[in-house]
Structures are given as C-alpha cells and as structure tokens.
C-alpha cells in the first residue's frame, strides 16, 4: 500500500508540490516561533531569586537650589554627600515608622525589573589568579545595599538562612553572593563550576583597582534582573554600602508592606506626600508598586508573545483549511477509485487511513529540508532566540522541532479527517452506477 501511495503522490506531483511547499514554509515559521516561545517560557519559569509582592519603590528628588555651596570643590562634595545622607536617613526612619511597613532599604544596582548593570570582577585576596567574573565568563553585578534589603526582597540563603539573618550579616560588614559563582582562571575549564560553599569566608577585591575588600558571609540562589532574563550567567553580590561609600547613604529606596495591610498603600502614601514626606531638601514625588513596574518592564516581550501565538494559530488554521479544501476535492475526484477498492475488499478504515497517510507522507517529506534550513539558521546565523539564552542549542532546537511537527501533525490529521470520513461512507454500487 505504501509503495502504491508514494507512486500516486509522485504521479500527482503538480498539485502535491504546492502542498509540500506550503507545509515546508509553515513548518519553518512555526519552528522559529516555537523556539522563541520555548526560550521565553523556560527563562520565565526560572526562579526570580526575589519576591516583590507587597514591595514599593519610593521616587524622590532633592532640591539643591536651596543649598549655599562653598567655592572649594572638596567642600562642595563633602556638603553634598552630607546633605544627601542626612535627608535619606530621615526618609528611611520615617518610612520605618509607618504602621504597615515591614522593612525599608536603599540600594545601588539590585532593584528588580531593571536592566541597568554595574559591576566588576572579584579578585581573590590570597590568590590574584583566581577571579570571579571576567571576559567570556559570568558577569558580576555589584549591588551596594543599605538597610534590610534581604527582608525587603524576600532573599533567603541556600543553607537555610532567613532574610533577617542575611540582613544581620550585611550589617556586620559581610557580603552575600549568589550560588552560580565560577572561577575564571587560565587553564580551568568553564564547565568546572566550583561548589559555591567554598567561597564563604573568602575575601575578594572589588575590581582591578582594589576599590574595596569584601568578605563573603553567605550564599543565596541566583537573582534575576528581570522576568525574561536568565540569572544563570550573572553572579550577583550584595555588598554593604559603607564598604565603598563609608557613611554616605543613597540609592533607590524600596519598602516592603505587611501582608495584612488593609488598604492601598501607594494611594494612601500619595495623599500624604506633601505633608509627611517633604523634608528640608528632599521630597518624595511618587510611590510605585513593583508589580506595576514589572508589568511595564515586561510589556514588550508579553506583546511579542501574544503576537507570535496569534501567528501560530493563524498558520495552523491556514494549513487546516488548505488541506481540507484540497483533500475534499480529491476524494470527490477519486470516487470511482475508492468504490473499486471497496469492491475488492478494502475496509472503510483502510480507505480512511489511505487518505490521511497521503497528507502525512507529504508532511514527513518536508522534515529533512526543514532540519537543513534550521541547522543553517542555528549554526551559521544564530537567528533563533534560544541562541541568546543557551550555549548548547540541541535541547531547545529539538524541543521546538518536536512541538512544531506535533502541531503540524494535528492540523494535517484534522484537515484530512473530514474528507477521509466522507470517503469511508462511499457506497460502491451508487458511485459505479453513476460512472
């Protein structure tokens, strides 16, 4: 049966070539879309490393026009830092006094849903050839923190340390680093990721300029910058702000509100900004929920996902309707052939399988051509989205391919099923009499 079916397909090559090309093009586009969706959803499924539920960002401004500045540059900087620190300290103390506030912190570089990056390699104090981060290795995001940052962001240690315990370590001058640490040393393979627990207690210079020395006190899970960015290749270290800035206090202010808070914290705070949060130089200008910031930050990728899903549905419907029309017409033309087969003992199920198999063979014929084009796109051009996420492209490419041909197979089955069911109910005596 298979040989005869293949001969029939070749005999009708003029009509089949268009179905073949349609399946090939749609398969390629679907493979690209499924690769994008696989990469996006796999990154989204990774743990964030933080919890921004009930967390708010305080927007503020400092009115420097009220300050009488000295002529000396050194005195200018000293006065500026002093005013900023004093005003920030008053702001954080007042926020802590709010009945519904659980924790308050300020930071440079760790606020979630933000693609800003500041960082440098960490150099082992005892052995300068051992470096965390560097070219072609994990980046190190240096985050300078003040206050209870771990309690605000819900960061916990991989060895059972609570957020409170991590904040206590930071208050004692110790730093906290993520578990995806990897030493950059000549001759050491990249794949040899060291046990992160070995860095606890070690001391590192921050950057080649040895700007500060940090001591690792605990290890936490990898921390993303945003929902759709993997944290796998980005080491994050939380460093007490005073290790770099001394008594200076600044940065972005984050607040965690208690779960039991009864109202809308942001709305209630906005109504009191002018009266309760206007200091001599510093003014709170807005209170924004991190959930709103997350939605705004993710909107572009979310829109792209919806567009690709709509395209995917459109292409599958297109394949379904194309096959439905083509095979409905074919079964009409082959009425006498089907009747003769049934007279010679072909069962209705065998007739159905023959109709469906014809379309399935056309789909299978596209597979080597599709694989060839995808291989070129992945290895030569790097056009697939997963190439920006994974070093090893085998798993995402195969997963996207399997999903693509599963979708195509379902559409081929549905598109040929109705004509095939019609052909099953052919009455040989009626058809042959008409012929």
């Amino acid at each position: 049966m298979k040989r005869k079916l293949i001969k029939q397909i070749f005999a009708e090559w003029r009509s089949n070539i268009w179905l073949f090309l349609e399946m090939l093009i749609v398969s390629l586009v679907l493979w690209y879309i499924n690769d994008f969706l696989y990469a996006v959803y796999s990154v989204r499924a990774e743990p964030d490393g933080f919890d921004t539920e009930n967390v708010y960002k305080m927007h503020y401004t400092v009115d420097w026009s009220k300050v009488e500045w000295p002529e000396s540059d050194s005195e200018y900087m000293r006065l500026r830092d002093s005013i900023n620190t004093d005003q920030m300290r008053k702001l954080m103390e007042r926020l802590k006094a709010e009945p519904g506030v659980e924790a308050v912190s300020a930071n440079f570089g760790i606020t979630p849903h933000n693609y800003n990056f500041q960082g440098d390699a960490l150099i082992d104090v005892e052995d300068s050839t051992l470096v965390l981060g560097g070219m072609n290795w994990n980046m190190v995001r240096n985050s300078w923190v003040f206050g209870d940052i771990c309690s605000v962001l819900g960061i916990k240690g991989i060895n059972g340390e609570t957020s409170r315990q991590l904040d206590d370590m930071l208050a004692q001058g110790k730093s906290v680093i993520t578990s995806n640490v990897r030493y950059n040393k000549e001759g050491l393979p990249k794949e040899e990721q060291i046990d992160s627990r070995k860095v606890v207690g070690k001391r590192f210079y921050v950057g080649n300029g040895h700007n500060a020395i940090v001591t690792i006190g605990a290890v936490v899970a990898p921390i993303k910058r945003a929902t759709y960015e993997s944290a796998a290749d980005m080491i994050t270290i939380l460093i007490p702000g005073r290790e770099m800035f001394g008594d200076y206090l600044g940065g972005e202010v984050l607040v965690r509100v208690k779960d039991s808070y009864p109202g809308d914290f942001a709305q209630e705070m906005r109504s009191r900004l002018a009266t309760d949060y206007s200091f001599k130089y510093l003014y709170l200008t807005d209170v924004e929920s991190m959930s709103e910031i997350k939605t705004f930050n993710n909107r572009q990728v979310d829109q792209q996902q919806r567009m690709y899903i709509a395209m995917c549905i459109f292409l599958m419907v297109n394949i379904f309707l194309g096959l439905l029309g083509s095979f409905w017409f074919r079964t009409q033309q082959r009425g006498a052939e089907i009747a003769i087969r049934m007279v010679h003992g072909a069962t209705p199920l065998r007739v159905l399988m023959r109709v469906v198999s014809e379309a399935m063979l056309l789909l299978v014929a596209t597979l080597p051509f599709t694989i060839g084009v995808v291989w070129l796109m992945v290895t030569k051009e790097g056009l697939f989205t997963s190439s920006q996420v994974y070093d090893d492209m085998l798993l995402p490419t195969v997963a996207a391919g399997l999903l693509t041909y599963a979708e195509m197979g379902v559409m081929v089955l549905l598109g040929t099923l109705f004509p095939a069911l019609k052909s099953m109910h052919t009455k040989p005596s009626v058809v042959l009499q008409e012929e």
Side-chain angles (χ1 to χ4, degrees):
M1 175 182 171
K2 289 181 180 178
R3 289 183 180 178
K4 292 180 180 178
L5 185 56
I6 292 173
K7 285 183 179 179
Q8 186 174 17
I9 290 173
F10 277 107
E12 299 178 353
W13 66 271
R14 286 182 178 83
S15 58
N16 285 329
I17 192 66
W18 297 111
L19 284 176
F20 172 84
L21 289 174
E22 182 183 14
M23 289 182 181
L24 177 61
I25 293 170
V26 171
S27 296
L28 286 170
V29 176
L30 283 179
W31 200 320
Y32 179 85
I33 291 173
N34 287 325
D35 174 83
F36 170 82
L37 295 175
Y38 179 90
V40 165
Y41 282 111
S42 60
V43 170
R44 183 172 185 166
E46 292 178 9
D48 292 330
F50 55 78
D51 173 22
T52 53
E53 189 70 25
N54 298 323
V55 176
Y56 296 82
K57 181 179 178 180
M58 305 290 129
H59 296 272
Y60 65 88
T61 186
V62 180
D63 185 0
W64 297 109
S65 63
K66 295 181 178 181
V67 182
E68 294 183 6
W69 297 106
E71 294 182 3
S72 168
D73 289 343
S74 60
E75 289 297 323
Y76 170 90
M77 293 303 299
R78 188 178 297 112
L79 179 60
R80 184 184 178 91
D81 290 350
S82 174
I83 290 174
N84 197 84
T85 300
D86 175 70
Q87 296 291 283
M88 282 288 291
R89 185 168 287 114
K90 288 179 179 179
L91 170 62
M92 293 179 68
E93 288 174 355
R94 187 162 298 181
L95 286 169
K96 287 180 183 178
E98 288 285 342
V101 170
E102 184 176 317
V104 180
S105 70
N107 74 87
F108 292 105
I110 194 59
T111 300
H113 312 303
N114 190 330
Y115 289 105
N116 289 338
F117 176 82
Q118 54 184 12
D120 210 336
L122 301 177
I123 303 170
D124 195 311
V125 171
E126 298 178 359
D127 183 356
S128 61
T129 65
L130 293 177
V131 181
L132 291 180
M135 188 175 295
N136 299 324
W137 292 73
N138 295 49
M139 296 186 293
V140 180
R141 177 169 56 142
N142 298 338
S143 304
W144 307 92
V145 298
F146 310 89
D148 301 329
I149 189 66
C150 294
S151 296
V152 169
L153 295 180
I155 298 171
K156 296 179 174 60
I158 63 171
N159 297 314
E161 297 93 343
T162 64
S163 300
R164 182 71 265 166
Q165 289 173 326
L166 294 177
D167 285 329
D168 289 342
M169 288 184 188
L170 289 167
Q172 294 166 11
K174 295 182 179 179
S175 298
V176 173
I177 198 167
T178 51
S179 61
N180 55 333
V181 294
R182 184 182 293 142
Y183 273 129
N184 176 5
K185 183 177 181 179
E186 187 175 352
L188 185 67
K190 181 178 179 179
E191 290 74 19
E192 289 186 15
Q193 184 167 330
I194 67 169
D195 185 348
S196 58
R197 290 172 294 184
K198 292 181 180 178
V199 300
V200 175
K202 279 188 171 291
R203 299 164 69 232
F204 293 91
Y205 292 115
V206 179
N208 293 324
H210 298 176
N211 300 320
I213 297 178
V214 297
T215 302
I216 307 301
V219 177
V220 299
I223 300 173
K224 289 181 176 182
R225 288 195 299 181
T227 305
Y228 294 116
E229 183 181 75
S230 176
D233 291 325
M234 183 179 293
I235 304 168
T236 299
I237 181 169
L238 306 181
I239 307 172
R242 66 174 179 272
E243 298 298 320
M244 173 64 82
F245 306 107
D247 294 330
Y248 177 79
L249 179 59
E252 297 178 319
V253 179
L254 301 178
V255 169
R256 173 171 287 278
V257 176
K258 296 175 182 177
D259 295 339
S260 58
Y261 192 82
D264 185 339
F265 178 78
Q267 190 61 36
E268 292 178 11
M269 284 289 291
R270 289 186 187 113
S271 66
R272 297 189 288 114
L273 293 182
T275 55
D276 295 348
Y277 288 92
S278 294
F279 302 98
K280 185 175 181 180
Y281 301 108
L282 184 147
Y283 310 93
L284 268 190
T285 57
D286 194 16
V287 179
E288 191 174 11
S289 167
M290 290 303 300
S291 298
E292 295 174 357
I293 295 174
K294 177 180 178 180
T295 301
F296 181 80
N297 183 270
N298 294 345
R299 74 193 186 286
Q300 184 175 354
V301 179
D302 288 340
Q303 290 171 357
Q304 196 171 4
Q305 285 180 70
R306 289 192 291 269
M307 181 186 70
Y308 278 177
I309 290 171
M311 288 175 60
C312 188
I313 294 171
F314 170 78
L315 290 171
M316 289 193 294
V317 170
N318 189 49
I319 283 290
F320 166 74
L321 293 176
L323 289 169
L324 179 63
S326 296
F327 279 86
W328 190 274
F329 179 71
R330 287 186 185 191
T331 53
Q332 292 286 92
Q333 282 188 318
R334 296 175 183 173
E337 176 192 334
I338 294 170
I340 292 171
R341 290 183 182 279
M342 295 182 78
V343 167
H344 284 80
T347 63
L349 180 61
R350 193 173 180 83
V351 172
L352 181 143
M353 291 300 296
R354 185 178 179 86
V355 176
V356 173
S357 297
E358 185 176 351
M360 286 295 183
L361 282 174
L362 284 172
L363 176 62
V364 171
T366 66
L367 187 57
F369 297 93
T370 309
I371 290 175
V373 174
V374 168
W375 181 80
L376 288 174
M377 292 175 70
V378 169
T379 59
K380 304 298 182 182
E381 303 296 335
L383 297 177
F384 274 29
T385 306
S386 53
S387 63
Q388 303 171 23
V389 179
Y390 302 99
D391 292 330
D392 185 359
M393 287 290 294
L394 181 62
L395 177 60
T397 304
V398 170
L402 291 174
L403 181 57
T404 296
Y405 274 86
E407 293 167 348
M408 290 292 291
V410 170
M411 289 302 104
V412 167
L413 178 61
L414 292 176
T416 56
L417 187 60
F418 295 108
L421 288 172
K422 181 179 180 296
S423 66
M424 280 180 63
H425 296 94
T426 298
K427 294 181 179 181
S429 59
V430 175
V431 174
L432 294 175
Q433 184 178 7
E434 291 176 355
E435 288 291 327

